[in-house]
Amino acid sequence: MKPLQQPVIGILGGGQLARMMALAGYPLGMRFLFFDPDPQACAGQVGPLITAGYDDTKALDEFMREVDVVTFDFENVPVSTVRYVQQRRAVYPDPSVLEISQDRLLEKRFFQKLGLPVGQFFPVNSYSELAFGAKSYEFDALLKTRRMGYDGKGQFRITPGADLKSIWEQARGRKLVLEQRVPFEREISVITVRDADGQLSQYAVTENKHNNGVLATSTAPARYTDSCQLAKTHARTIAEALEYVGVLVIEFFETPDGVLINEMAPRVHNSGHWTIEGALTSQFENHLRAVCGWPLGSTDSWGYAAMLNWIGSVPNIACMPKQAHIHHHLYGKTPRAGRKVGHTTITAEDPANLQRKVVNFAKQLSDSLGKL
Ligand code: AMP
């Protein structure tokens, strides 16, 4: 692929991921145009934003006129929109990956077709299928909507005491899949970047902790186990099978018997935010490099990093501890329950120091909040 000179990059979706891509691309002379139905989309604070529905072909035509290449920050952009744009502008990654990743059932079957391990699952289209599946998984399962589910949204926990009838009433009318709960030891993710010529590079495996289905913290490099290498190999298999261009993130459950794939994100990802300070080239810069046909930057880590998400609210950043190893990021979003509004990354030279610095940060933070 011929490298684009001084490219203008169009991003479908104008959330914090688009914003952080732009912040990584400006120093390289790249320019950006965002497209989002929400006039408050936070990327609009750092670059021009077209506000229109994803089905507004007039607005999409205007968007395409202004940009050299297109990518997205959100995997639920309608495939029809991306296909429309693709008629006139190169889009990376290819929208075919969205068709798979937008539907949990297709996604799991895709992984299985590649011979990769996924947990037990069962498509659900009726109450009797739900009752049958719940019984087969001994009432230890999650019922999920096949589409539009992220950050734990559209999920129902099935336990021995659960009221299946009421869960069915809440979930019915949508396409569903029942997943057996995986008794994992850890959750890890692999961030892979691949360019159009097939060059591929992977960041250190990241360990993730979730609260109520929403990512709370990511730490990298994760404590090394054989599963880390296995996860990297599976992520490579997926990126190559898709002839993927850009950053692709695969989330895994680590169990005593190896790894099971949870899902993929065909975009830069929250579990890769640590790469801004913790790696030689951030996930954002490498995604842009890949979509513009530029050589990829090194994915090596500087040391160790822990990323803590600010969800729902963020303390006054002016009063938060600031030391050389503490890096705050706010997204310019209005705080709302469950909403990701920023993150803080703490860096250190080794895991023991990282742990100590994270504990100190938490203590300093609670002390400074106590003084307010
Ligand atoms: P998801 O949106 O499917 O990635 O789910 C969000 C989080 O819920 C995951 O990162 C896990 O912490 C948890 N989770 C989802 N599915 C399962 C499962 N089948 N077994 C155990 N935990 C799960």
Side-chain angles (χ1 to χ4, degrees):
M1 172 177 169
K2 211 165 147 248
L4 296 175
Q5 303 291 323
Q6 299 184 313
V8 180
I9 296 150
I11 304 185
L12 295 167
Q16 67 266 22
L17 300 177
R19 175 177 164 121
M20 286 187 270
M21 276 193 248
L23 294 176
Y26 286 133
L28 303 171
M30 297 172 175
R31 283 175 298 146
F32 295 86
L33 178 60
F34 310 108
F35 190 105
D36 197 296
D38 178 2
Q40 303 301 325
C42 70
Q45 295 166 14
V46 305
L49 168 72
I50 293 180
T51 303
Y54 285 124
D55 56 354
D56 184 337
T57 50
K58 221 167 135 225
L60 288 170
D61 290 344
E62 181 195 338
F63 173 74
M64 287 189 280
R65 264 197 303 280
E66 301 293 325
V67 303
D68 299 306
V69 65
V70 173
T71 188
F72 37 85
D73 91 328
F74 176 53
E75 67 269 36
N76 286 317
V77 176
V79 174
S80 54
T81 301
V82 190
R83 291 245 180 254
Y84 181 77
V85 170
Q86 198 182 30
Q87 290 170 15
R88 295 217 339 244
R89 287 290 176 265
V91 178
Y92 300 111
D94 190 85
S96 55
V97 68
L98 290 180
E99 265 157 15
I100 303 170
S101 69
Q102 286 181 357
D103 185 326
R104 287 185 191 277
L105 186 63
L106 296 187
E107 188 178 70
K108 286 178 196 305
R109 288 186 172 149
F110 168 73
F111 297 141
Q112 282 185 324
K113 240 195 226 157
L114 293 175
L116 302 177
V118 294
Q120 299 285 332
F121 65 93
F122 183 82
V124 165
N125 298 304
S126 65
Y127 177 74
S128 57
E129 283 173 348
L130 172 61
F132 175 79
K135 192 155 174 253
S136 333
Y137 297 149
E138 296 175 348
F139 295 89
D140 193 8
L142 289 98
L143 181 68
K144 298 184 180 179
T145 55
R146 281 170 55 179
R147 301 184 73 86
M148 297 303 277
Y150 59 94
D151 283 349
K153 292 187 173 71
Q155 298 192 8
F156 304 84
R157 182 77 173 88
I158 310 288
T159 57
D163 180 348
L164 277 195
K165 278 249 149 54
S166 139
I167 290 174
W168 174 250
E169 283 313 315
Q170 292 171 63
R172 67 184 299 170
R174 289 176 279 175
K175 290 185 171 174
L176 301 162
V177 60
L178 186 69
E179 291 181 17
Q180 185 169 37
R181 190 182 66 83
V182 176
F184 56 79
E185 293 185 329
R186 291 197 297 184
E187 289 187 84
I188 55 176
S189 56
V190 176
I191 306 157
T192 300
V193 58
R194 184 178 181 277
D195 71 17
D197 299 326
Q199 297 293 325
L200 180 150
S201 190
Q202 293 177 314
Y203 289 87
V205 172
T206 304
E207 176 171 346
N208 302 312
K209 295 209 163 76
H210 294 79
N211 274 342
N212 298 324
V214 184
L215 184 67
T217 66
S218 293
T219 311
R223 179 178 47 80
Y224 189 82
T225 60
D226 290 345
S227 293
C228 293
Q229 194 46 50
L230 205 57
K232 279 185 150 181
T233 306
H234 293 337
R236 172 184 281 272
T237 301
I238 296 166
E240 288 177 346
L242 292 167
E243 298 184 16
Y244 195 90
V245 177
V247 164
L248 173 69
V249 177
I250 312 292
E251 295 182 64
F252 296 89
F253 298 125
E254 182 176 351
T255 73
D257 307 321
V259 288
L260 299 173
I261 301 174
N262 175 21
E263 61 180 359
M264 69 174 164
R267 54 170 169 78
V268 288
H269 189 254
N270 195 171
S271 71
H273 291 0
W274 66 268
T275 62
I276 298 175
E277 291 89 7
L280 272 66
T281 315
S282 75
Q283 62 164 347
F284 302 102
E285 177 174 337
N286 258 338
H287 182 75
L288 297 170
R289 286 181 161 276
V291 307
C292 292
W294 293 16
L296 300 181
S298 167
T299 51
D300 288 351
S301 305
W302 287 114
Y304 288 75
M307 189 272 331
L308 321 168
N309 263 342
W310 296 110
I311 297 168
S313 66
V314 63
N316 183 345
I317 200 157
C319 304
M320 293 221 305
K322 178 68 193 120
Q323 286 155 281
H325 58 273
I326 302 176
H327 312 273
H328 300 303
H329 298 257
L330 291 191
Y331 308 148
K333 290 161 72 174
T334 310
R336 202 191 309 137
R339 198 172 199 208
K340 291 175 181 168
V341 289
H343 73 268
T344 294
T345 299
I346 297 176
T347 53
E349 33 318 306
D350 58 60
N353 263 320
L354 183 64
Q355 174 68 12
R356 191 177 49 75
K357 286 174 170 174
V358 169
V359 170
N360 275 346
F361 172 71
K363 185 170 173 331
Q364 284 175 305
L365 191 65
S366 70
D367 289 351
S368 63
L369 290 177
K371 282 191 206 119
L372 290 179

